[in-house]
Amino acid sequence: MRTLLALPALLLAANTWASCPKALPENAPVIPDGTTATYDQVYDAQEAVREYVTEIETYLECREGLGLHLMLHNRAVHLAQTAAKDFNASLSTFRQRKNMLANN
């Protein structure tokens, strides 16, 4: 009876592992220069960064409890944080430029 109960759990775990990304995303999205970017470029960058960070989070969640090396975990977190920080800096510059143009 226990074998019959363990089999679906094992299949579910194997299915979950199969849907996990095999590696970290290689390339961070390109962040436009906030001083010259258009609204569409900033919007596209926002979506790309959001997807990139989500891919990294999925990678880490799938490997939680599997003994992911601490340095690899920290590298993944650093990549996600750097992409978000770079986008936020560009967005801030973009908004300042838009406000400056609106006030003139």
Side-chain angles (χ1 to χ4, degrees):
M1 184 66 171
R2 288 184 183 172
T3 305
L4 291 177
L5 293 175
L7 186 59
L10 180 62
L11 292 175
L12 180 62
N15 187 33
T16 301
W17 179 254
S19 67
C20 285
K22 304 266 186 267
L24 279 169
E26 287 296 320
N27 299 318
V30 176
I31 308 298
D33 181 1
T35 60
T36 59
T38 65
Y39 175 83
D40 290 335
Q41 290 172 325
V42 172
Y43 180 80
D44 291 343
Q46 178 184 20
E47 292 301 313
V49 168
R50 184 176 291 144
E51 182 178 324
Y52 179 72
V53 170
T54 299
E55 288 175 6
I56 290 175
E57 288 172 342
T58 301
Y59 176 84
L60 291 174
E61 287 171 3
C62 283
R63 281 150 181 81
E64 188 176 320
L66 297 176
L68 182 65
H69 194 280
L70 183 60
M71 287 179 61
L72 182 57
H73 178 273
N74 290 347
R75 179 176 178 266
V77 170
H78 174 74
L79 291 172
Q81 289 176 340
T82 300
K85 179 183 67 84
D86 291 348
F87 172 76
N88 287 335
S90 177
L91 179 62
S92 177
T93 303
F94 175 79
R95 286 180 174 163
Q96 289 172 1
R97 186 187 84 197
K98 288 294 183 184
N99 287 339
M100 186 175 66
L101 291 174
N103 291 334
N104 286 333

